[in-house]
Amino acid sequence: MAVTDEAIEKIKGMIVSGALRPGDRLPKESELAAELGLSRNSLREAVRALSLIRILDVRQGDGTYVTSLDPQLLLEALSFVVDFHRDDTVLEFLAVRRILEPAATAMAAGRISETQLDLLGAQLDALGGQPSVEELVAADLDFHRGIVQSSGNSVLCSLLDGLSGPTTRARVWRGLTQEDAVSRTLHEHRAILAALRDRDAEAARAWATVHVASVEQWLRSTL
């Protein structure tokens, strides 16, 4: 194991064991290096690496702290990584969305508030019947984010947020090239919203599956 990797594992071990908790300040560099049996240089490299993935927060002139370790914060790294996707992997991202998003939508059916439902409905009404493709795709992201946030699962919400980037271009491309893509998307959104209003988890799951699968099916036919 590389020296820096060993240092990362040792700091990770302290956090996982509870020796360091969210918000805790790390001991001084010299003290922590001696405690873990590491060189100060390898410790410094480990801290730098862990700060990049939001495990640690280095505050100049103040010290280094364990972050909140909130899922949304930690999964920011996922968004960064998936931005490096190749066009030939977009179908794989859509397949993952097709697994996760319907599950989140079904979970939201029992939790989403009437206020949130009214807000989603108002957003759909504001789009009108013939929005531009760019407006529709932006609204699509907001629509699903609002539903997934109501699932009550912050990890699921962060995962889906991180996966949305690679599929955005495909959805714009579909909207520009498939004749009925805009009207179908609006119809599917209203069907999902109706199922949520009825508190029908299985109908909400089914319509969310149709919604993602229709993009996936179209993309397969064009590749």
Side-chain angles (χ1 to χ4, degrees):
M1 183 182 293
V3 176
T4 302
D5 290 342
E6 181 185 0
I8 290 171
E9 284 298 319
K10 287 186 174 181
I11 297 172
K12 174 185 171 184
M14 292 181 73
I15 295 171
V16 171
S17 70
L20 286 172
R21 297 183 177 277
D24 280 358
R25 181 177 177 173
L26 270 65
K28 290 181 180 179
E29 184 182 272
S30 57
E31 295 173 6
L32 186 58
E35 180 183 342
L36 297 178
L38 301 167
S39 71
R40 293 178 67 171
N41 188 55
S42 62
L43 177 60
R44 204 171 294 131
E45 290 297 321
V47 167
R48 187 176 293 116
L50 290 169
S51 67
L52 287 173
I53 56 172
R54 305 291 195 269
I55 303 294
L56 298 178
D57 179 20
V58 179
R59 304 175 191 173
Q60 292 298 325
D62 187 20
T64 299
Y65 292 79
V66 180
T67 67
S68 65
L69 302 180
D70 180 78
Q72 188 169 3
L73 182 68
L74 297 182
L75 288 169
E76 279 182 10
L78 174 65
S79 299
F80 179 78
V81 171
V82 299
D83 280 342
F84 290 97
H85 76 282
R86 304 186 312 274
D87 284 349
D88 61 354
T89 62
V90 172
L91 274 169
E92 294 182 12
F93 282 105
L94 279 167
V96 174
R97 261 194 79 200
R98 181 162 46 83
I99 294 166
L100 297 181
E101 198 157 292
T105 305
M107 290 167 66
R111 294 170 172 264
I112 194 166
S113 69
E114 290 296 327
T115 301
Q116 180 67 7
L117 287 168
D118 289 342
L119 177 61
L120 291 173
Q123 289 172 341
L124 285 178
D125 291 341
L127 272 177
Q130 293 182 313
S132 71
V133 171
E134 289 77 10
E135 287 173 337
L136 180 66
V137 171
D140 183 77
L141 290 170
D142 287 340
F143 180 80
H144 293 292
R145 185 178 291 118
I147 293 171
V148 173
Q149 284 174 345
S150 296
S151 72
N153 189 311
S154 60
V155 174
L156 193 52
C157 188
S158 297
L159 281 171
L160 282 165
D161 221 26
L163 291 170
S164 65
T167 61
T168 297
R169 188 164 64 172
R171 280 175 281 172
V172 172
W173 181 21
R174 178 201 183 206
L176 292 170
T177 58
Q178 189 179 36
E179 186 176 342
D180 64 343
V182 171
S183 61
R184 283 180 64 180
T185 298
L186 290 172
H187 171 69
E188 289 160 3
H189 278 189
R190 293 204 176 277
I192 291 169
L193 185 57
L196 291 172
R197 283 197 184 280
D198 290 341
R199 307 294 173 181
D200 188 335
E202 289 313 306
R205 184 196 306 273
W207 275 111
T209 302
V210 167
H211 184 57
V212 179
S214 62
V215 181
E216 192 178 358
Q217 185 180 39
W218 166 80
L219 186 57
R220 283 186 192 282
S221 70
T222 63
L223 294 178

